[in-house]
Amino acid sequence: MKLKFTRLFLVVLALYATGCSKDEFSEADAIAAQKELLNLKYQHELDLETLKQKGASALQQLINTAALQQLKMNDSLARASAVAAAKQDYSVAVTDVVTNAPVVDAEVIVSSEGKLFSSKTNAQGIATFSSLYLFPTSTFLITKTGYAATQIMRKDITLGTAKLWNTAELSNEISGTLYIETDLTNTTPEKVGGNVLVTASTSVPNGFNGSYSVQFPTYTTATGAYSLKLPAAPGAYTFSFAQVEADQKLYIYGTEDSTVAVPYQLPYLATVKTYFNVNASNVNIPSVVGPVFLKFPKDKLGRELYIPVNGYTNSTVYLSAVTDGFQVERLNVNAYNYYNGVYYDLNQSTFDANTKLDVTMVDIIGNIIKSQPLLSATTNSAGKIAMTSSAEGGYGSVHLRRDATGKLVANAKGLFSKAAVYDISQNSYILNYSSNLNFASNLITGLNYSLPNKGDKKIINFYYGSGESRVKKVY
């Protein structure tokens, strides 16, 4: 508003100055000056009205605010009176969770009316508070150096003592080694390796009601060993382990990505990424039968047929012991060979009619065949492999190879480093010495152990198992 009066004064001053500096004051000048004065007067009146309206609103707002503050003050005075009447003295008893002895110099903290109040426990393990306003669920926090902190609610302090657990006195120990099946081609588990998280936890009562959990973590060394220093605990320790991701070596017939299946695919040694958890062995372990297979030449469709030498039934190769190993004496190989869920049917393949086929043996683990036996099969007029008897007493689709005169060709019996006993009195052996090339211990390890007394020590070797899942399916 001051600005409006200033502008009006300046206009009047300008008119005066103009009149003093000019000999004549024109009518146009007078009209212009009058318009300016009228405009200023209108704006001034408008500003005054606006100010009046704002003043009335501000006054009403001030009245309303004062009334509200008065109400708040009255309410606060009434509440303060109720709080003062409800204030009480409190005592919190604190004992050791293992020994039940009073804990001295533990700090007990509680919040009341927006402030924190603290007290230390005396020789009897009791902390006292005077004239506090607390709710039933108000919580006392209890701490002491070397102890796991705990808490107890106001409504429970008369029902039992708060329990503190001395976690600094690490007189107990659980140690051992973690094992895992990362190589299914042997009969013993492997050590899990380094940097695997091992955690021991236990639940400790925190008074009359409720409990809290404390965890003690460590990591395995490069040899899979772990060691945990622990305090004596009122309850059992529960162990948990981080999931391990590792490559697993095993024999398989193929994976979900395979385009060729048995019996036209030999099993082979593969490495597949696998995930492991303790006591979790849900992953499928392929059942790959004995390590030796009969391999037939390519048929008219370009397929090579493989039949397992499985012993006792269907495809049995009988051997005898010689000075430096074992040699083939006869074979019984059936045309229809069903083994371990796979149907090996020689009639699936068609060859040239009335021909001799050279059959070889394949040792997929590479340490059984020292020299290849010389074997053959015969096709009939339809190009199918015929079932015949052999001069050495065998029967079936495959026999030791003979020349045109019927004599065994040189070195036909081959030489093998391993065999399983069939009839020791007859010096008779068979090639199948294992029902599966993949092995797993599938042990189950307990996860809960008690250390109730000071100085308790245990050695616990944990077993991860053969795997929980793989990045791809195998069979």
Side-chain angles (χ1 to χ4, degrees):
M1 187 170 63
K2 283 185 177 181
L3 180 60
K4 303 300 181 181
F5 286 119
T6 302
R7 291 172 62 188
L8 179 60
F9 174 74
L10 290 176
V11 170
V12 174
L13 184 61
L15 290 174
Y16 173 77
T18 302
C20 294
S21 61
K22 295 176 69 174
D23 296 334
E24 295 181 359
F25 179 66
S26 69
E27 185 178 1
D29 292 334
I31 293 173
Q34 290 176 4
K35 286 183 177 180
E36 182 68 19
L37 285 171
L38 289 173
N39 285 334
L40 286 173
K41 181 176 181 295
Y42 171 77
Q43 186 63 47
H44 176 58
E45 291 176 350
L46 184 63
D47 290 342
L48 285 175
E49 183 63 27
T50 301
L51 183 61
K52 288 180 182 179
Q53 293 177 8
K54 286 185 176 180
S57 299
L59 179 60
Q60 186 61 48
Q61 183 177 0
L62 180 61
I63 294 172
N64 293 341
T65 300
L68 180 62
Q69 292 296 332
Q70 184 63 44
L71 289 174
K72 288 184 177 179
M73 184 180 296
N74 293 339
D75 180 66
S76 178
L77 290 172
R79 183 175 181 276
S81 177
V83 167
K87 286 185 177 180
Q88 297 181 21
D89 297 338
Y90 295 95
S91 296
V92 179
V94 182
T95 57
D96 187 289
V97 73
V98 175
T99 65
N100 283 320
V103 177
V104 182
D105 287 332
E107 184 174 19
V108 183
I109 300 174
V110 68
S111 174
S112 175
E113 300 181 88
K115 296 180 181 180
L116 293 178
F117 295 86
S118 175
S119 178
K120 294 276 188 142
T121 56
N122 58 20
Q124 290 74 43
I126 297 174
T128 59
F129 296 87
S130 299
S131 188
L132 291 184
Y133 177 71
L134 299 178
F135 297 99
T137 55
S138 293
T139 300
F140 293 90
L141 177 64
I142 306 162
T143 60
K144 183 177 180 179
T145 301
Y147 287 74
T150 188
Q151 58 187 22
I152 188 170
M153 287 189 288
R154 193 217 75 179
K155 65 184 181 66
D156 295 330
I157 60 175
T158 60
L159 303 176
T161 64
K163 301 290 187 179
L164 274 185
W165 185 30
N166 188 337
T167 57
E169 195 172 286
L170 305 176
S171 60
N172 297 1
E173 181 180 9
I174 292 183
S175 61
T177 303
L178 272 61
Y179 291 92
I180 193 170
E181 298 282 5
T182 53
D183 188 349
L184 296 181
T185 68
N186 60 34
T187 57
T188 58
E190 290 68 45
K191 293 179 179 179
V192 77
N195 297 318
V196 176
L197 178 63
V198 180
T199 304
S201 63
T202 189
S203 183
V204 180
N206 65 354
F208 179 81
N209 186 26
S211 63
Y212 60 93
S213 179
V214 179
Q215 295 181 332
F216 297 85
T218 189
Y219 287 90
T220 58
T221 65
T223 60
Y226 76 96
S227 178
L228 275 168
K229 301 289 187 181
L230 302 166
Y237 282 98
T238 299
F239 279 77
S240 59
F241 304 84
Q243 185 186 66
V244 175
E245 175 185 311
D247 288 335
Q248 186 180 65
K249 185 166 69 172
L250 72 166
Y251 286 101
I252 63 174
Y253 285 103
T255 71
E256 60 187 37
D257 303 323
S258 300
T259 57
V260 179
V262 291
Y264 308 107
Q265 168 69 53
L266 267 178
Y268 58 93
L269 189 62
T271 300
V272 183
K273 185 176 292 184
T274 306
Y275 302 97
F276 300 84
N277 279 306
V278 168
N279 291 340
S281 301
N282 304 321
V283 70
N284 173 54
I285 298 178
S287 182
V288 177
V289 296
V292 179
F293 284 73
L294 296 172
K295 176 184 176 182
F296 292 80
K298 290 183 179 180
D299 63 6
K300 288 185 173 294
L301 296 177
R303 304 173 302 181
E304 291 177 329
L305 180 66
Y306 300 92
I307 294 181
V309 176
N310 52 50
Y312 301 111
T313 61
N314 299 326
S315 298
T316 306
V317 177
Y318 297 94
L319 305 94
S320 62
V322 293
T323 302
D324 51 355
F326 304 87
Q327 65 182 20
V328 177
E329 295 296 338
R330 60 187 174 91
L331 299 88
N332 287 344
V333 179
N334 295 329
Y336 300 98
N337 189 328
Y338 183 82
Y339 190 74
N340 199 42
V342 180
Y343 190 46
Y344 301 90
D345 183 3
L346 291 177
N347 290 318
Q348 295 177 87
S349 300
T350 303
F351 304 87
D352 291 335
N354 302 315
T355 59
K356 287 282 188 182
L357 303 174
D358 290 339
V359 178
T360 57
M361 282 190 177
V362 180
D363 172 10
I364 64 173
I365 63 175
N367 60 8
I368 296 176
I369 299 178
K370 299 174 71 172
S371 66
Q372 181 70 228
L374 303 178
L375 309 174
S376 65
T378 303
T379 63
N380 57 25
S381 58
K384 302 296 183 181
I385 296 176
M387 299 284 287
T388 59
S389 297
S390 66
E392 61 270 13
Y395 178 80
S397 305
V398 181
H399 303 287
L400 290 168
R401 191 179 307 169
R402 295 178 179 273
D403 60 19
T405 65
K407 293 179 58 177
L408 289 176
V409 299
N411 303 316
K413 294 186 175 183
L415 191 63
F416 298 82
S417 61
K418 298 179 181 180
V421 173
Y422 179 73
D423 186 346
I424 192 65
S425 64
Q426 300 294 322
N427 189 28
S428 180
Y429 298 82
I430 56 176
L431 272 181
N432 184 49
Y433 59 89
S434 172
S435 59
N436 194 346
L437 298 185
N438 294 320
F439 304 91
S441 299
N442 291 323
L443 302 173
I444 299 296
T445 307
L447 299 177
N448 298 306
Y449 298 92
S450 296
L451 298 175
N453 307 306
K454 291 183 179 180
D456 285 345
K457 297 183 185 296
K458 293 182 183 292
I459 297 177
I460 308 296
N461 296 323
F462 290 96
Y463 178 70
Y464 259 83
S466 56
E468 191 172 24
S469 63
R470 297 192 183 94
V471 294
K472 61 175 61 179
K473 293 180 180 179
V474 300
Y475 61 89

